[in-house]
Amino acid sequence: MTARLAETWVRRPASPTRAVIDVTRRCNLRCSMCHTWKRTEHAELSVAQWAAVFKCMPRLCWLDLTGGEPLLRSDFGELVSAALRGLPALGMLHFQTNGWATDRAEAVVRRARTERADVDLIITVSIDGPQAVHDKIRGRPQAHARAVATLQRLHAMAQQDDGLQVHVGTTVTAANAQTYESVGDELERLVPGFSRSHWHWNLGQRSEHFFGNDDVAGVEPGLSRAQLQAAIARHIHQRGIPRGMVGLMESVYLVNLRAVAGGAPSNIPCQSLRSTVFVSPEGDVFPCHIWNRPLGNVLSQPFSTIWASAVVAEARRDVERLACGGCFSACEAYPALAGAPLTTAVTTLRRGLPLARSAG
């Protein structure tokens, strides 16, 4: 995996090394900050169609499967298998879940670990606050209880499998701005052995083609810049010394997120369309999950043709000059950090040293 990522340091590869694949817009919850569930059309690519896309990505070593709620697809396990079979360079597979379908989540994890134990598997269970807050945000009673039950089950599995990691993802918005920090204490109480080093933070983002929340109020964090920076600093301190590559990447992300939350530019070049790409459930190719700039559809032409097209090359140039507006959303931040290691190291050290003093 490191060799594949290193290729992107010197040139744009012939196929992406990292992709975010949105497998469904369907969701059984009614989240206030995300309205993908309002989409009524569900023309999802089949497993066979996704398999054809995967064949066009021989260099892909890092795959994120997302939704909607991915586990609402009855064939999600088959889709995961198609990715594991069709992506020979794959080193890390990640999918997120709202945690409603505990048994199905466990079944998919067991299937993936059986089929390719050489691929690291990371699962993120979304929990946005204590029970009352989470259920209100997610728009359905028992959403919190089901998410915690799934987290407990998968966390127990991860304790016995070094190739499996289970994280909690919390999206900070105005709806949970006053309570989200209590999630860490609650998880340590409810999940024996759970560490804050496996607690991931996102800041609320807007996206027309992914979240469908351009006109939704309260998506952004309901905190001042100073409050948000202080909260991120506390989180970094509570996470402690990072262990392993994923933990190190998360800490580096948080140090830079603190700076961006204070109004600074990220200063780390985005890798969108250089080494990363986003594909919608209908097969539409976009630079990322934020920028609504369609570049082609894999049902009309092979993904490899789209990736090599002049349309994508032009869009990549626009990314480089920040015509997209620029962002530091987690989905794009991680490949940005990995794609520019020297810039990332220098920038993070400059930002991290004063942060360490203030957090301590």
Side-chain angles (χ1 to χ4, degrees), residues 25-107:
R25 297 190 187 278
R26 291 177 287 157
C27 190
N28 57 311
L29 302 186
R30 298 294 179 262
C31 301
S32 58
M33 71 289 196
C34 172
H35 283 184
T36 186
W37 52 270
K38 286 191 172 182
R39 295 283 291 266
T40 56
E41 71 278 16
H42 300 129
E44 302 165 355
L45 266 63
S46 67
V47 171
Q49 288 168 329
W50 280 123
V53 174
F54 296 148
K55 286 183 179 179
C56 295
M57 298 180 174
R59 286 173 166 78
L60 197 77
C61 58
W62 178 353
L63 175 63
D64 286 281
L65 300 176
T66 187
E69 171 50 46
L71 291 169
L72 283 182
R73 286 190 63 138
S74 60
D75 60 357
F76 184 63
E78 298 170 33
L79 200 159
V80 168
S81 294
L84 293 173
R85 290 193 303 266
L87 297 168
L90 192 65
M92 184 169 69
L93 172 64
H94 167 259
F95 73 84
Q96 58 81 27
T97 177
N98 61 35
W100 191 268
T102 303
D103 291 342
R104 182 170 291 179
E106 180 180 358

Side-chain angles (χ1 to χ4, degrees), residues 131-147:
Q131 181 268 320
V133 173
H134 180 86
D135 286 359
K136 182 177 181 180
I137 290 173
R138 296 280 164 167
R140 188 170 180 182
Q142 296 298 309
H144 182 269
R146 301 287 285 264

Side-chain angles (χ1 to χ4, degrees), residues 289-308:
H289 75 298
I290 298 293
W291 193 19
N292 186 22
R293 181 167 174 171
L295 303 167
N297 186 284
V298 298
L299 297 180
S300 302
Q301 53 188 325
F303 174 83
S304 54
T305 301
I306 298 173
W307 182 254

Side-chain angles (χ1 to χ4, degrees), residues 6-331:
E7 179 184 6
T8 68
W9 302 343
V10 295
R11 62 175 176 268
R12 182 178 186 265
S15 71
T17 55
R18 189 259 188 170
V20 178
I21 302 295
D22 187 2
V23 300
T24 184
R25 297 190 187 278
R26 291 177 287 157
C27 190
N28 57 311
L29 302 186
R30 298 294 179 262
C31 301
S32 58
M33 71 289 196
C34 172
H35 283 184
T36 186
W37 52 270
K38 286 191 172 182
R39 295 283 291 266
T40 56
E41 71 278 16
H42 300 129
E44 302 165 355
L45 266 63
S46 67
V47 171
Q49 288 168 329
W50 280 123
V53 174
F54 296 148
K55 286 183 179 179
C56 295
M57 298 180 174
R59 286 173 166 78
L60 197 77
C61 58
W62 178 353
L63 175 63
D64 286 281
L65 300 176
T66 187
E69 171 50 46
L71 291 169
L72 283 182
R73 286 190 63 138
S74 60
D75 60 357
F76 184 63
E78 298 170 33
L79 200 159
V80 168
S81 294
L84 293 173
R85 290 193 303 266
L87 297 168
L90 192 65
M92 184 169 69
L93 172 64
H94 167 259
F95 73 84
Q96 58 81 27
T97 177
N98 61 35
W100 191 268
T102 303
D103 291 342
R104 182 170 291 179
E106 180 180 358
V108 171
V109 168
R110 292 194 184 282
R111 180 172 184 162
R113 297 303 294 146
T114 299
E115 292 193 4
R116 276 192 67 181
D118 62 305
V119 175
D120 290 334
L121 182 62
I122 301 177
I123 316 301
T124 299
V125 181
S126 299
I127 298 179
D128 290 324
Q131 181 268 320
V133 173
H134 180 86
D135 286 359
K136 182 177 181 180
I137 290 173
R138 296 280 164 167
R140 188 170 180 182
Q142 296 298 309
H144 182 269
R146 301 287 285 264
V148 169
T150 298
L151 175 64
Q152 290 170 330
R153 183 93 62 89
L154 298 184
H155 178 74
M157 295 173 65
Q159 299 297 97
Q160 308 299 319
D161 185 347
D162 291 339
L164 171 64
Q165 291 191 37
V166 180
H167 294 247
V168 169
T170 297
T171 300
V172 183
T173 66
N176 63 357
Q178 304 306 316
T179 62
Y180 70 91
E181 285 194 75
S182 66
V183 171
D185 293 332
E186 180 182 63
L187 293 175
E188 289 178 342
R189 176 176 57 83
L190 293 174
V191 186
F194 181 83
S195 166
R196 290 174 190 254
S197 63
H198 288 95
W199 182 23
H200 172 75
W201 288 12
N202 293 309
L203 303 186
Q205 301 282 339
R206 294 183 181 275
S207 168
E208 181 181 349
H209 69 278
F210 182 44
F211 297 120
N213 63 356
D214 268 12
D215 59 349
V216 177
V219 173
E220 289 78 14
L223 299 169
S224 69
R225 286 181 173 178
Q227 289 173 323
L228 193 53
Q229 284 189 298
I232 295 171
R234 287 193 297 273
H235 185 43
I236 295 171
H237 180 61
Q238 291 168 345
R239 285 171 56 89
I241 298 173
R243 294 178 175 83
M245 184 55 66
V246 175
L248 177 61
M249 288 286 289
E250 180 77 2
S251 293
V252 169
Y253 159 72
L254 287 167
V255 167
N256 288 285
L257 181 66
R258 179 183 183 271
V260 172
S266 75
N267 291 332
I268 298 171
C270 181
Q271 297 298 300
S272 175
L273 299 180
R274 177 177 172 86
S275 61
T276 73
V277 73
F278 175 91
V279 188
S280 78
E282 301 83 17
D284 293 313
V285 177
F286 294 89
C288 64
H289 75 298
I290 298 293
W291 193 19
N292 186 22
R293 181 167 174 171
L295 303 167
N297 186 284
V298 298
L299 297 180
S300 302
Q301 53 188 325
F303 174 83
S304 54
T305 301
I306 298 173
W307 182 254
S309 68
V311 171
V312 166
E314 180 183 4
R316 172 59 195 170
R317 289 191 290 270
D318 286 343
V319 170
E320 291 173 343
R321 63 185 184 87
L322 299 181
C324 55
C327 74
F328 197 67
S329 68
C331 283

